[in-house]
Amino acid sequence: MLIDRLARDLYSEICHIPLVDPHSHINPHAAASRSLDDILGYHYYTELSHSAGMSQDHLDEDLPARERVRAILKYMDRFDNTAQYGWFLEIARAFLGFMGDHVTADDCDALFDASERVMSEADWEETVLRRSNVEQIFLTNEFDDPLDGFDTARFVPCLRTDDLVFRLGDSAVLERLAKATGVMVGDADSLRLAIRKLFEHFTSKGAKACAISLPPNFAPYALSDVGQGVLVESLSSTAEDDIEARQAGIFWLLAEHCREFGLPFDLMIGVNRRVYEDGVYQGQDLFDQRTSLIQYRELFNTFPEVPFCVSVLSSGQNQELASYSWIFPNVITSGHWWYSNIPTYIAQDCRARIQAVPKTKQIGYYSDAYKLEFILPKYNMYRKILAQILADDFVRTGVYSETQAIEFARLLLRDNARRIFNV
């Protein structure tokens, strides 16, 4: 991917920058993988294998882990053209001692045995973090997560709020909220109190962000005092207007609390759930081109003090995001999410952001990883692309020296996140 010496030199220096990974799904109590089954159980591999013809029966939890791995490896030659295959090959080489050029089903037993051997080492988590040069990793914590038993300076809590906004009408979610806060929600005042207690709990435990994943048709807006008064009364209503108002109202309360508690709000915009209803676990969702950031204009205008770190699901939405960040001081471009997280789209989108958006308003990348081992190959993919862009567009053109280009990369990979999230 790096086509010349300058880009390679820049990449080598960029790799020395300690990473702040501002969005992941890491479980801090089991952050590293235990075997190759954890690696290949990542939804990208189950999705691609299933898409290439593998039956979901091969993913059954009752099967031995080795056999699940063997099944996916049998289909890997059908998607060895993909970026995700490249991630796996790099993991195998960096962590499992694989020396070959191509992984096949014949490598199953050797790789599986190697994974069980090295991943059972007492310091495996530290080994992975050190090799990946990771300083801090942001988590995705449900609102009733106690946030105990891990180092919150390394694994930074983040309040995920999807259930509060979109599923508060479910009795189970209300019960979880009551258990977490000691508040039984019965009116608008008790709802506000419950949300306040969540923010107090999370910030007391070191949380540095609030986050939510939003569907294409969502449009937040403030409710009138009358609307706030009937907000909780409509929890059991299935009327479309009541659901819309309830979701908008709860979301607005969250934004108000982000302002009060000084937390940035991560908005991950555009996911349409359960498009492929028979897909594998976590492999059912797609983006929807109907999404526009114009739906968030009232939000961005009303809360100028809140940094909104915005991710969009498709590369096609990137120009709009870059334009909003160009204009709005509180809109920040954040990472390359999900279906836009392949080299072609990253290169195009990254270059556009770098040319359009102040460099202090960009969070370059996040891993979105479920296990620590994926941070290295994903970030290396981004770092190579960034190095080539900096070489071509900045150093060769005389805009920046090599030293200045590295400092630019430091903003995107570490310093902006530390400042925006106050870590």
Side-chain angles (χ1 to χ4, degrees), residues 21-77:
D21 184 352
H23 175 69
S24 82
H25 296 272
I26 297 292
N27 174 0
H29 303 289
S33 297
R34 296 162 298 179
S35 78
L36 200 58
D37 188 43
D38 284 340
I39 301 292
L40 290 179
Y42 194 15
H43 64 82
Y44 283 107
Y45 300 105
T46 57
E47 290 164 359
L48 287 165
S49 299
H50 180 54
S51 176
M54 187 187 76
S55 168
Q56 292 194 49
D57 293 343
H58 294 298
L59 304 176
D60 194 300
E61 292 183 358
D62 292 332
L63 290 174
R66 188 183 297 261
E67 296 312 308
R68 287 194 295 269
V69 167
R70 194 183 309 279
I72 292 174
L73 289 178
K74 283 181 179 179
Y75 281 83
M76 194 166 274
D77 63 352

Side-chain angles (χ1 to χ4, degrees), residues 71-222:
I72 292 174
L73 289 178
K74 283 181 179 179
Y75 281 83
M76 194 166 274
D77 63 352
R78 302 188 185 190
F79 59 89
D80 58 9
N81 55 295
T82 65
Q84 292 84 4
Y85 170 81
W87 302 343
F88 177 69
L89 184 60
E90 186 167 357
I91 288 171
R93 289 171 172 168
F95 297 120
L96 302 179
F98 183 72
M99 303 295 290
D101 295 324
H102 200 85
V103 178
T104 71
D106 292 338
D107 298 305
C108 175
D109 289 326
L111 285 174
F112 195 92
D113 291 343
S115 73
E116 288 196 318
R117 182 175 64 256
V118 301
M119 293 174 182
S120 65
E121 294 173 357
D123 63 345
W124 180 243
E125 179 179 306
E126 291 295 329
T127 297
V128 177
L129 288 168
R130 184 177 63 254
R131 291 184 188 174
S132 305
N133 198 15
V134 181
E135 188 174 79
Q136 291 177 304
I137 304 164
F138 280 57
L139 308 178
T140 296
N141 301 99
E142 294 297 333
F143 69 78
D144 51 350
D145 191 328
L147 306 178
D148 293 327
F150 61 92
D151 180 2
T152 58
R154 169 178 284 178
F155 296 107
V156 182
C158 173
L159 172 58
R160 189 66 179 252
T161 57
D162 301 46
D163 281 354
L164 293 173
V165 173
F166 298 110
R167 288 175 282 278
L168 195 61
D170 297 347
S171 59
V173 176
L174 276 174
E175 290 172 6
R176 287 169 53 204
L177 182 59
K179 185 176 181 180
T181 64
V183 177
M184 181 59 69
V185 172
D187 55 26
D189 288 341
S190 58
L191 175 60
R192 184 178 290 274
L193 177 60
I195 291 176
R196 168 174 285 278
K197 284 185 174 293
L198 291 179
F199 274 76
E200 288 173 346
H201 168 63
F202 268 75
T203 54
S204 72
K205 294 289 188 176
K208 296 298 183 180
C210 183
I212 191 168
S213 173
L214 298 159
N217 61 341
F218 185 73
Y221 55 86

